[in-house]
Amino acid sequence: MIFSSFEISSEQKINVQIENHIKEGIEKGILQKGDKLPSTREISKVLNVSRNCVIIAYENLENLGIIKSLRGKGTFVSTEANTIDGDLTISWSHMVNDYGNSCRDLDIIKTELPWKRGMISFKSIAPDESLFDIEEFKRSFLNIFSTEGDKLLNYGYAKGYKPLIEYIKKYMEDKGINVDQKDVLITNGFTEGFDILLSTLTKRGDIIACEEPTHNTAIKIMKSHGLNIASVPMNFDGIDIDLLEKTLKEKSPKVLYLIPSYHNPTGIVMRGEKRQKVYKLCERYKVPILEDGFNEELLYSSSHVAPIASLCVKGNGVIYVGSFSKVLFPGLRIGWILADKNLIDTLESVKRARTIHSSFLDQAILYNYMESGAFTRYMKKIRKHYRDKYNFTLQQVKMYIPYEYIWGEGGLHIFIKLEGVSGREVLKSCYNKGVVFMPGDIFYNEDNGSDTIRIGFSRVTKEDIEKGIKIIGDVVKELSYKI
Amino acid sequence: MIFSSFEISSEQKINVQIENHIKEGIEKGILQKGDKLPSTREISKVLNVSRNCVIIAYENLENLGIIKSLRGKGTFVSTEANTIDGDLTISWSHMVNDYGNSCRDLDIIKTELPWKRGMISFKSIAPDESLFDIEEFKRSFLNIFSTEGDKLLNYGYAKGYKPLIEYIKKYMEDKGINVDQKDVLITNGFTEGFDILLSTLTKRGDIIACEEPTHNTAIKIMKSHGLNIASVPMNFDGIDIDLLEKTLKEKSPKVLYLIPSYHNPTGIVMRGEKRQKVYKLCERYKVPILEDGFNEELLYSSSHVAPIASLCVKGNGVIYVGSFSKVLFPGLRIGWILADKNLIDTLESVKRARTIHSSFLDQAILYNYMESGAFTRYMKKIRKHYRDKYNFTLQQVKMYIPYEYIWGEGGLHIFIKLEGVSGREVLKSCYNKGVVFMPGDIFYNEDNGSDTIRIGFSRVTKEDIEKGIKIIGDVVKELSYKI
């Protein structure tokens, strides 16, 4: 009997095991079309399982047309071996297109050295979750859930949760932006906002201008969209104005992508006068600006500088992409696009065609959290915390790591230009000593930045910062002697 | 003085109003480069606002390089009118590409007749939120939040929340699918799963085969990706096998997209024998299957039929896209792709390049809700509820609406083939009588289905179902006489 040497495992539902055993028997030719199967009673006895399990298995197989019960006669195999050999095999790797391949190839997580327990990691620039107001968040959940929980769990609107949209509009207006004729689309963080914008406004081969270095995820997305990146080098105070003009003039890029506040990876804050110059150049050459405000909220070691979008008083040429993910709850994936309202209308349709909308529950909790004042209190607390930590890290870096220069004035990271030493080489040695960080070259479009590194400190204790920076410093010194 | 006729509004932060007023003054030429501005003290007096607001406004303008304070001398305009005219104007509609345009043009919400308060709407096939277990959901939130709240609010993994992935793998295994060499990617619902798959596996001009009619969002996404849809007509028992073979043979589509359970819009459940035939054809012609299991959980008027993916015992040629959105919490936007593990590895990178990951909080709550047993209890309750409602609606339809045939046996909707009467015409008349539904033609690729309509009943009360169906019936009868 087909079940005599069969052993039941505790890993899987019993009926599924019985079904698969019979399917395999047919595949292997042990059971042939027309063969009579043991009765459900027999199987349940042999395997010592409930008869009901066997009945379910038989029903499922019969529903699939694999076996057939004939009243009073028993159950029979009703299919040939090759009808269920189940061998539809596709070479997926050959089917993946350019876009899929570049997303995979540019996915640095897949190639970087694996983190091991106990390592000191300066890779992340995510916020420190131990600073989150868990209790305030819970309160916001309970507040919002008691009044509209059922509605929040059903479908919402592609554009976003209305009170949050209104809140963000006001918030942007308070930054000095003219929100008249503008609208907001809620996205799954900066990443989705940027991806939707490029998907909607560019085509393969288009030129997009940006700072060099710049946010590595942005580089990945631009490349995966097949765009040609026109990188404009930065100086200590941000993008080089003369080279920017040259690029705008000679290359006519479709868009200029900028991170004016606490730039990633350099930490530079572009001063107001420079913002004005950049804006004026774009006006002259009619190039729209995509302003990435991801770190806007973190400004702690300099006074507030209004977004570039605030300079575009009458026009519609600046798109602002915002996110709280570097300070608040990145796990929720809530960001936004503020742009011309007709453009938002189109982007809303794109959003609907991609994810329908962002989680309404998360949007509503975030709204309640912000509206309650908890956000302001939290920001006050963390600005001080991260400022202190930044200063501490900077001091350690200056003490232990020989460098050519350090740009920027804040953020959750420090970007270091080494004196001709390869960042990758330093990383390799440090990895063996239990310290990891980001090699700076990932923030460059071409083969630049090989002698730079980025130190993210937000989730590292002061003790480990000191220890880790010392180790990096020792390695840099050692490698310097070899040059 | 520039502020003498200025009125403060309560709508906006005072400093922003002051900033904008000065910017406008410069734009209009009322203030010229070198002009001295009133002191902060004067302005605060004239406007009767705190001096601090004015100081902030001046600081912000100075940061932008628009004005300049000279110690002991006062504050002066430091910019020309045209430097801040802010007139960077872009014709976005000309920049939107084919993809963006088709997403907008195919976004039926933008063209359909607007819902008005008091109307009876048979448009939705979303679940009825009044059936959600709000209390169980809250309990799941509190459970999961107390143990890992801080971590859930920080960045997670692109593939998804591990316990949920494991749960879903087991869940799919229990449906008879061999999950060995397979993996799961959590997506923002079916829509993101389908969109990511098409983005990764197809290119413009590729042929994709599917049932006709089929899910209108799927049609939208296929078209927005520039795919050529090879529609295979359906019979009362699902896709026409002979025409499917002809399509697979002659057109060699890249993928076959199918909704075997409670098909949208027809409600047809493809029987096991037919599933086997379809699968065998795909095996013969080496065409991978994209199985949409969106309504799988709802099977209530027929015995369970295993997914087509369960027939692919040894191969990797069936991709299953699942979602609970038609039964459970669509507002959370949680779905999944089960596929070959190497393919999932690539799709994970695509997901990371698009939204980084789906909300970890939502994934964790959903996991806890399912794992606690609440999901099973809920499904038991709603299966009965919707079965009763389906039978009730079907009875009403048969009683009041003259039809050629009604296919299917369940789901949250009933699809009706009228006798030569235009669904759009019926809708137009019904709209004026306060009743709306989905015209069937939106589920067809070409100009077919003009005499079909879809009635979604999940969120309509029995009283309104009866009332609404009667009205539709009267309109259909009236229009029939005219033919």
Side-chain angles (χ1 to χ4, degrees):
Chain A
M1 178 211 182
I2 174 124
F3 281 100
S4 37
S5 64
F6 181 65
E7 272 177 41
I8 290 289
S9 123
S10 61
E11 295 287 294
Q12 205 177 26
K13 273 194 184 174
I14 293 166
N15 64 297
V16 173
Q17 295 181 53
I18 295 172
E19 287 165 43
N20 286 338
H21 188 64
I22 292 175
K23 283 186 203 164
E24 280 167 28
I26 299 173
E27 270 172 49
K28 291 178 184 156
I30 301 165
L31 288 170
Q32 309 228 326
K33 189 169 178 177
D35 280 0
K36 188 174 180 182
L37 290 164
S39 70
T40 52
R41 199 181 305 269
E42 282 173 277
I43 296 179
S44 88
K45 213 169 143 192
V46 172
L47 298 181
N48 194 21
V49 298
S50 94
R51 194 177 157 211
N52 202 34
C53 280
V54 190
I55 291 174
I56 290 171
Y58 270 32
E59 274 177 9
N60 287 343
L61 289 169
E62 187 156 9
N63 277 331
L64 282 170
I66 291 170
I67 63 173
K68 198 160 177 57
S69 289
L70 295 173
R71 190 175 286 269
K73 291 188 178 169
T75 305
F76 300 86
V77 176
S78 62
T79 198
E80 311 276 354
N82 73 343
T83 44
I84 57 152
D85 64 355
D87 201 14
L88 175 55
T89 301
I90 301 292
S91 172
W92 292 111
S93 62
H94 288 98
M95 257 185 87
V96 172
N97 60 21
D98 289 351
Y99 172 73
N101 282 326
S102 51
C103 287
R104 193 197 52 230
D105 296 344
L106 298 168
D107 193 358
I108 54 167
I109 292 185
K110 299 242 158 115
T111 54
E112 66 191 5
L113 297 165
W115 181 83
K116 288 177 193 161
R117 197 167 288 276
M119 275 191 162
I120 299 174
S121 174
F122 294 110
K123 280 181 0 185
S124 174
I125 58 166
D128 179 355
E129 66 249 23
S130 69
L131 300 171
F132 292 160
D133 306 318
I134 293 301
E135 284 308 309
E136 290 273 15
F137 187 90
K138 196 205 278 182
R139 201 168 301 136
S140 291
F141 169 84
L142 294 172
N143 273 343
I144 211 87
F145 203 72
S146 64
T147 53
E148 38 180 331
D150 51 352
K151 286 199 181 56
L152 293 173
L153 295 178
N154 216 330
Y155 282 111
Y157 304 98
K159 232 168 72 175
Y161 178 66
K162 277 174 191 162
L164 181 64
I165 291 176
E166 289 310 312
Y167 187 93
I168 285 177
K169 249 194 200 161
K170 185 81 182 52
Y171 183 78
M172 298 311 289
E173 196 175 26
D174 287 348
K175 285 177 188 273
I177 299 175
N178 180 2
V179 297
D180 218 48
Q181 303 302 314
K182 298 226 170 56
D183 208 345
V184 166
L185 175 73
I186 303 293
T187 61
N188 288 18
F190 164 79
T191 304
E192 195 193 29
F194 192 65
D195 188 54
I196 282 183
L197 282 163
L198 296 193
S199 299
T200 307
L201 298 173
T202 69
K203 39 184 192 296
R204 297 188 93 77
D206 275 352
I207 295 168
I208 183 162
C210 63
E211 293 143 326
E212 175 162 84
T214 193
H215 182 25
N216 60 311
T217 295
I219 294 179
K220 175 174 77 175
I221 298 173
M222 293 186 282
K223 283 190 175 169
S224 71
H225 282 267
L227 302 178
N228 289 319
I229 302 177
S231 303
V232 183
M234 297 179 83
N235 299 319
F236 74 97
D237 64 345
I239 198 161
D240 186 295
I241 285 288
D242 295 336
L243 293 175
L244 174 62
E245 174 151 24
K246 200 169 136 70
T247 300
L248 298 181
K249 199 170 170 176
E250 293 174 4
K251 299 201 169 171
S252 304
K254 203 135 190 190
V255 178
L256 172 62
Y257 166 64
L258 292 172
I259 314 171
S261 296
Y262 285 158
H263 177 266
N264 183 14
T266 66
I268 293 171
V269 179
M270 198 193 287
R271 295 287 144 213
E273 278 161 42
K274 192 156 206 171
R275 288 180 190 221
Q276 232 184 92
K277 281 184 194 156
V278 168
Y279 174 73
K280 283 311 294 176
L281 282 177
C282 286
E283 207 170 79
R284 185 172 318 147
Y285 296 101
K286 288 280 169 211
V287 174
I289 297 170
L290 204 163
E291 178 172 17
D292 177 352
F294 91 113
N295 249 343
E296 182 94 37
E297 302 0 278
L298 250 189
L299 290 169
Y300 47 68
S301 59
S302 57
S303 56
H304 173 77
V305 185
I308 297 179
S310 71
L311 296 169
C312 189
V313 184
K314 290 186 297 186
N316 65 356
V318 183
I319 296 171
Y320 184 98
V321 185
S323 161
F324 297 122
S325 292
K326 286 302 166 290
V327 288
L328 198 68
F329 315 146
L332 297 185
R333 316 292 321 118
I334 304 288
W336 69 92
I337 302 173
L338 175 83
D340 175 83
K341 70 177 186 181
N342 291 316
L343 177 60
I344 291 289
D345 188 62
T346 296
L347 297 174
E348 179 198 22
S349 292
V350 175
K351 169 82 181 164
R352 188 178 284 120
R354 292 183 156 215
T355 55
I356 303 195
H357 57 69
S358 295
S359 165
F360 255 54
L361 177 66
D362 295 357
Q363 291 186 60
I365 301 174
L366 192 63
Y367 163 69
N368 191 277
Y369 179 87
M370 299 186 80
E371 207 263 342
S372 72
F375 176 64
T376 311
R377 287 193 297 278
Y378 168 77
M379 284 310 300
K380 219 167 166 174
K381 177 177 84 177
I382 65 149
R383 272 201 197 105
K384 187 184 167 342
H385 173 90
Y386 287 129
R387 183 176 57 223
D388 291 351
K389 212 161 175 184
Y390 174 82
N391 289 332
F392 176 80
T393 311
L394 186 63
Q395 183 198 19
Q396 298 297 312
V397 166
K398 287 185 171 171
M399 206 173 332
Y400 296 113
I401 305 179
Y403 59 89
E404 195 179 318
Y405 51 79
I406 295 169
W407 278 345
E409 51 190 288
L412 302 177
H413 56 275
I414 292 175
F415 193 67
I416 307 166
K417 169 80 166 71
L418 303 170
E419 296 176 290
V421 178
S422 154
R424 294 254 168 203
E425 287 293 317
V426 177
L427 178 58
K428 219 161 73 187
S429 289
C430 285
Y431 183 76
N432 295 327
K433 296 180 163 70
V435 178
V436 286
F437 52 81
M438 283 295 183
D441 57 11
I442 64 165
F443 303 100
Y444 288 79
N445 175 32
E446 304 298 340
D447 292 336
N448 296 325
S450 66
D451 54 359
T452 59
I453 61 175
R454 190 189 73 179
I455 303 290
F457 56 78
S458 46
R459 297 165 91 180
V460 190
T461 63
K462 280 192 172 183
E463 200 188 331
D464 276 356
I465 290 175
E466 188 170 357
K467 210 168 127 190
I469 297 293
K470 262 188 196 162
I471 291 173
I472 299 173
D474 289 345
V475 169
V476 171
K477 282 170 204 157
E478 200 185 310
L479 290 170
S480 300
Y481 294 137
K482 291 185 186 161
I483 299 176
Chain B
M1 180 213 183
I2 175 125
F3 281 99
S4 38
S5 64
F6 182 64
E7 273 175 43
I8 291 288
S9 122
S10 60
E11 294 288 293
Q12 205 177 25
K13 273 194 184 172
I14 293 165
N15 65 297
V16 173
Q17 294 180 55
I18 295 171
E19 288 165 44
N20 286 338
H21 188 66
I22 291 176
K23 282 185 204 165
E24 279 168 28
I26 299 173
E27 267 172 51
K28 290 178 185 157
I30 302 166
L31 289 169
Q32 308 229 326
K33 189 169 179 177
D35 280 358
K36 188 174 181 181
L37 289 165
S39 71
T40 52
R41 201 179 304 268
E42 282 174 278
I43 296 178
S44 88
K45 215 169 140 192
V46 172
L47 297 181
N48 195 23
V49 298
S50 94
R51 193 175 158 210
N52 203 34
C53 281
V54 190
I55 291 174
I56 291 171
Y58 270 32
E59 275 177 9
N60 287 343
L61 288 169
E62 188 155 10
N63 277 332
L64 281 170
I66 291 169
I67 64 174
K68 201 164 175 55
S69 289
L70 296 172
R71 190 174 286 269
K73 292 191 176 167
T75 305
F76 300 86
V77 175
S78 63
T79 199
E80 311 276 354
N82 72 343
T83 44
I84 57 153
D85 64 356
D87 200 15
L88 175 53
T89 302
I90 300 292
S91 171
W92 292 111
S93 61
H94 288 98
M95 260 185 84
V96 172
N97 60 20
D98 289 350
Y99 172 73
N101 283 325
S102 49
C103 287
R104 194 197 52 230
D105 296 344
L106 298 169
D107 193 356
I108 53 166
I109 292 185
K110 300 243 158 114
T111 54
E112 66 191 7
L113 298 167
W115 182 82
K116 289 176 191 161
R117 198 168 288 275
M119 274 190 165
I120 299 174
S121 173
F122 294 110
K123 281 183 358 188
S124 173
I125 57 165
D128 178 355
E129 67 248 23
S130 69
L131 300 172
F132 293 160
D133 305 320
I134 293 302
E135 284 309 310
E136 290 274 16
F137 187 91
K138 197 207 270 184
R139 201 168 301 137
S140 291
F141 169 85
L142 294 171
N143 273 343
I144 211 89
F145 203 72
S146 64
T147 53
E148 40 180 328
D150 52 351
K151 286 197 181 57
L152 292 174
L153 295 178
N154 216 330
Y155 282 110
Y157 304 97
K159 231 167 73 174
Y161 179 66
K162 277 177 191 160
L164 181 63
I165 290 177
E166 289 310 312
Y167 187 92
I168 285 177
K169 249 195 200 158
K170 185 80 182 54
Y171 182 76
M172 298 310 289
E173 196 175 25
D174 287 346
K175 285 177 188 273
I177 298 175
N178 180 2
V179 297
D180 218 48
Q181 304 304 313
K182 298 228 167 57
D183 208 347
V184 167
L185 175 74
I186 303 293
T187 61
N188 289 16
F190 164 80
T191 303
E192 194 192 29
F194 192 66
D195 188 54
I196 283 182
L197 282 163
L198 296 193
S199 298
T200 307
L201 299 173
T202 68
K203 39 184 194 295
R204 298 188 92 78
D206 276 353
I207 294 169
I208 184 162
C210 63
E211 293 144 328
E212 177 163 80
T214 192
H215 182 25
N216 60 310
T217 296
I219 294 178
K220 175 174 77 177
I221 298 173
M222 294 187 280
K223 284 190 175 169
S224 70
H225 282 267
L227 302 178
N228 288 321
I229 302 177
S231 303
V232 183
M234 297 179 84
N235 300 320
F236 73 98
D237 63 346
I239 197 161
D240 186 296
I241 286 289
D242 295 335
L243 293 174
L244 173 62
E245 174 152 24
K246 198 170 137 71
T247 300
L248 298 181
K249 198 171 173 178
E250 293 175 3
K251 299 200 168 170
S252 303
K254 204 137 190 186
V255 178
L256 171 63
Y257 166 64
L258 291 173
I259 315 170
S261 296
Y262 286 160
H263 177 267
N264 183 12
T266 65
I268 292 172
V269 178
M270 199 193 286
R271 295 285 145 211
E273 279 161 40
K274 192 156 205 170
R275 289 180 189 220
Q276 235 187 87
K277 281 184 196 158
V278 167
Y279 174 73
K280 285 311 293 177
L281 281 178
C282 288
E283 210 171 77
R284 185 171 317 146
Y285 296 102
K286 288 279 170 210
V287 174
I289 296 171
L290 205 163
E291 179 172 17
D292 176 353
F294 92 113
N295 249 342
E296 183 95 34
E297 304 355 282
L298 252 189
L299 290 170
Y300 46 68
S301 58
S302 56
S303 55
H304 173 76
V305 186
I308 296 179
S310 70
L311 294 169
C312 189
V313 184
K314 291 185 295 185
N316 65 356
V318 182
I319 297 171
Y320 184 98
V321 185
S323 161
F324 296 123
S325 292
K326 287 302 167 291
V327 289
L328 198 70
F329 314 148
L332 298 184
R333 316 294 319 120
I334 305 287
W336 69 91
I337 302 173
L338 175 83
D340 174 84
K341 69 178 187 182
N342 292 316
L343 177 60
I344 290 290
D345 188 63
T346 296
L347 297 175
E348 179 198 19
S349 292
V350 175
K351 169 80 180 165
R352 188 178 284 118
R354 294 185 154 213
T355 54
I356 303 194
H357 59 68
S358 295
S359 165
F360 255 54
L361 177 66
D362 295 356
Q363 291 185 60
I365 301 174
L366 192 63
Y367 163 70
N368 191 278
Y369 179 87
M370 298 185 81
E371 207 262 342
S372 72
F375 177 64
T376 312
R377 286 193 297 279
Y378 169 76
M379 283 309 301
K380 218 167 165 175
K381 177 177 82 174
I382 65 148
R383 270 202 198 104
K384 187 185 164 345
H385 174 90
Y386 287 129
R387 183 176 55 224
D388 291 350
K389 213 163 174 181
Y390 174 80
N391 289 332
F392 176 78
T393 311
L394 186 63
Q395 184 198 15
Q396 298 296 312
V397 166
K398 287 186 172 171
M399 208 176 325
Y400 296 113
I401 304 179
Y403 59 89
E404 194 178 320
Y405 52 78
I406 295 169
W407 279 344
E409 51 190 288
L412 302 177
H413 56 276
I414 292 173
F415 194 65
I416 306 166
K417 169 82 165 70
L418 303 170
E419 296 175 290
V421 178
S422 154
R424 295 253 167 203
E425 288 292 315
V426 177
L427 178 59
K428 219 161 72 184
S429 290
C430 285
Y431 183 76
N432 295 326
K433 296 179 161 67
V435 177
V436 287
F437 52 82
M438 284 293 186
D441 57 10
I442 63 166
F443 303 100
Y444 287 79
N445 175 33
E446 305 297 341
D447 293 336
N448 295 326
S450 65
D451 53 359
T452 60
I453 62 175
R454 189 189 74 180
I455 303 291
F457 56 78
S458 47
R459 297 165 91 180
V460 190
T461 62
K462 280 195 173 180
E463 200 190 330
D464 276 356
I465 290 174
E466 188 172 356
K467 210 168 128 191
I469 296 293
K470 262 188 198 163
I471 290 173
I472 299 173
D474 288 346
V475 168
V476 172
K477 280 172 206 160
E478 200 184 311
L479 290 171
S480 301
Y481 295 136
K482 289 184 186 161
I483 299 173

